[in-house]
Amino acid sequence: PTVTPVVPEGTSVTSKGLQGVVQEGTPVFTAGDDTVPITISQEQPAQFVVDGVAISAKEIPATQSGKEIGTYQIDPSTGRVTFQPHHEFLGTPDPARVQVKDQNGTPATATYTPSVYGLDAKDDTSTGKQGQVQTSISGIERFSRLHDPDVRLSYYSLNGSSDGKVTVEGVGTYSIDLTGVVTFTPLPSFTGTPEGVTVQAGVVQFDDEGNLVHGFYEAHYRPTVTPVVPEGTSVTSKGL
């Protein structure tokens, strides 16, 4: 008799999500023949592959260029991988490699690669004369990812305030409108450069599986008020 090999195949998957948001992905595995199905069980679980070796650990570090930037967790009964990025991480980590076996015990591997993006926040400043109202750049100028049709703005706020307004004693008042423009109204007596305010943008988007996820990003606005000093001009007169 002649026995031909049956080789299962794996298809790698990707996902993308906002900064700090958990992502998930499940590599797809296909049997080499209908009579020899992919078999994931307690005795033959889905496993991570590290340095070419299948391991029993259910959690491994997620890295980029040797630096740990989060964690990968695997569900041994399905092969689903969950990626938890560190809050500050942006970019694409090294992929997680997953192995399963078919009924004959023949292995197949595939990868899961998430990508993390932020809103590319931009700080800004402005300068105006004493007593003069100043304004910042708009939200869509500050957070360039708002141009992405997959990202929807939920709200703007200042320093976490619920009403979009911040009053600083001895300095003045900041307020933000629906377009993300901050208006600074200084007190008539104030000059100098105050601490400014933190501009926050809350966003929502649908992930690759249609789930609604939330993100939160911030940048800084800082105005400068230059003094206005009145001058006096002396006059003379003369008479008989």
Side-chain angles (χ1 to χ4, degrees):
T2 299
V3 179
T4 58
V6 175
V7 181
E9 294 183 349
T11 301
S12 298
V13 295
T14 63
S15 68
K16 63 178 181 178
L18 293 170
Q19 185 177 4
V21 174
V22 173
Q23 299 181 49
E24 294 181 334
T26 306
V28 178
F29 296 95
T30 306
D33 189 275
D34 292 341
T35 62
V36 189
I38 298 294
T39 303
I40 302 176
S41 63
Q42 187 172 355
E43 295 74 27
Q44 194 168 272
Q47 295 178 303
F48 284 127
V49 176
V50 177
D51 296 329
V53 179
I55 62 174
S56 60
K58 297 179 182 179
E59 179 175 310
I60 60 173
T63 61
Q64 183 189 60
S65 302
K67 179 182 178 182
E68 184 173 338
I69 53 78
T71 60
Y72 287 122
Q73 293 179 331
I74 191 170
D75 181 346
S77 65
T78 63
R80 175 182 291 272
V81 178
T82 300
F83 170 57
Q84 174 64 71
H86 291 168
H87 178 72
E88 71 279 3
F89 176 71
L90 293 171
T92 301
D94 301 329
R97 183 168 293 276
V98 176
Q99 174 184 285
V100 301
K101 296 179 180 179
D102 66 13
Q103 188 172 294
N104 289 337
T106 305
T109 62
T111 61
Y112 165 59
T113 307
S115 294
V116 180
Y117 59 87
L119 291 182
D120 303 326
K122 180 194 298 183
D123 296 338
D124 78 309
T125 61
S126 65
T127 301
K129 294 180 180 180
Q130 186 176 354
Q132 182 182 73
V133 172
Q134 299 181 45
T135 57
S136 73
I137 60 176
S138 69
I140 204 162
E141 293 174 287
R142 185 183 305 281
F143 303 107
S144 64
R145 287 293 301 187
L146 292 178
H147 292 277
D148 189 331
D150 293 333
V151 178
R152 300 177 187 178
L153 175 71
S154 177
Y155 63 87
Y156 289 118
S157 68
L158 293 177
N159 287 7
S161 65
S162 58
D163 62 355
K165 185 176 292 186
V166 173
T167 299
V168 180
E169 185 176 356
V171 175
T173 301
Y174 301 87
S175 62
I176 191 166
D177 65 18
L178 294 177
T179 68
V181 172
V182 180
T183 298
F184 171 57
T185 305
L187 294 176
S189 59
F190 177 77
T191 60
T193 302
E195 184 63 29
V197 287
T198 298
V199 183
Q200 290 133 343
V203 298
V204 295
Q205 78 160 84
F206 290 95
D207 64 17
D208 293 343
E209 297 182 351
N211 301 308
L212 195 64
V213 295
H214 297 262
F216 176 81
Y217 302 95
E218 59 187 29
H220 200 73
Y221 167 61
R222 193 174 190 184
T224 295
V225 179
T226 58
V228 175
V229 181
E231 294 182 352
T233 301
S234 300
V235 297
T236 64
S237 66
K238 62 183 179 178
L240 292 174

